[in-house]
Amino acid sequence: MASINAKIARPDERSDARERALYLLYEAQSKGISPSDALSLQVLEPDELTVVLVTGVETHAAELDAAIAAKAKGWTLERMPVLDLNVLRLAAFELSERSEVPVAVVLDEAVKLAKRFSTDDSGKFVNGVLAALSKELRPDDPLR
């Protein structure tokens, strides 16, 4: 019986936190409230990583948006699907402020979120923008 349980994939807590952060950022933007307000409206207290991600994106929003806009060739932030933009913000925050998270992990997680929650082309779009951003935000990362 132990071997059966060992084969069951358990969700990764960090992946779950990124997903929850995406939900909260989307909720905030949809309702026209701040991400901090979306956090405070939660019935259950969000986990620490979700809070770090949401408040980090909120705190660094102007720099993140400027960096994304500079690398999203042919796209304005206003034209981007809301989910794509929030996935990009989350990943750009992790690239710029969470150096302990490898670039490959940041890109992989962001692409998975984009493919799961946004348009058919979102995975490729997010990957392209983040690959360009990673060269600028993490130029010395050997795993890039």
Side-chain angles (χ1 to χ4, degrees):
M1 188 61 104
S3 64
I4 292 173
N5 288 337
K7 292 181 182 180
I8 297 173
R10 295 208 169 106
D12 179 63
E13 291 176 16
R14 293 164 299 205
S15 296
D16 287 348
R18 289 180 183 98
E19 188 173 316
R20 285 188 295 277
L22 178 62
Y23 293 155
L24 289 166
L25 292 169
Y26 179 77
E27 178 183 353
Q29 193 162 357
S30 297
K31 292 180 176 178
I33 61 175
S34 72
S36 294
D37 287 343
L39 274 172
S40 69
L41 292 172
Q42 299 307 296
V43 175
L44 299 175
E45 187 174 334
D47 61 277
E48 184 180 345
L49 181 54
T50 299
V51 172
V52 165
L53 294 171
V54 171
T55 57
V57 168
E58 181 178 27
T59 301
H60 299 281
E63 307 99 269
L64 298 173
D65 283 356
I68 292 164
K71 300 299 180 191
K73 302 295 182 209
W75 285 86
T76 63
L77 298 181
E78 296 76 27
R79 265 190 71 216
M80 286 181 201
V82 172
L83 284 166
D84 289 3
L85 178 56
N86 282 305
V87 168
L88 288 168
R89 286 172 174 157
L90 271 172
F93 170 72
E94 287 203 273
L95 287 171
S96 65
E97 301 296 324
R98 299 191 70 229
S99 60
E100 71 278 9
V101 182
V103 169
V105 171
V106 173
L107 271 63
D108 183 60
E109 292 279 322
V111 169
K112 283 180 185 175
L113 286 171
K115 284 181 176 180
R116 183 167 174 204
F117 294 109
S118 198
T119 70
D120 290 341
D121 296 324
S122 292
K124 288 182 219 170
F125 174 70
V126 164
N127 188 61
V129 173
L130 292 176
L133 269 176
S134 71
K135 292 175 186 172
E136 184 176 301
L137 297 174
R138 299 255 194 105
D140 299 326
D141 192 304
L143 300 176
R144 191 171 31 78

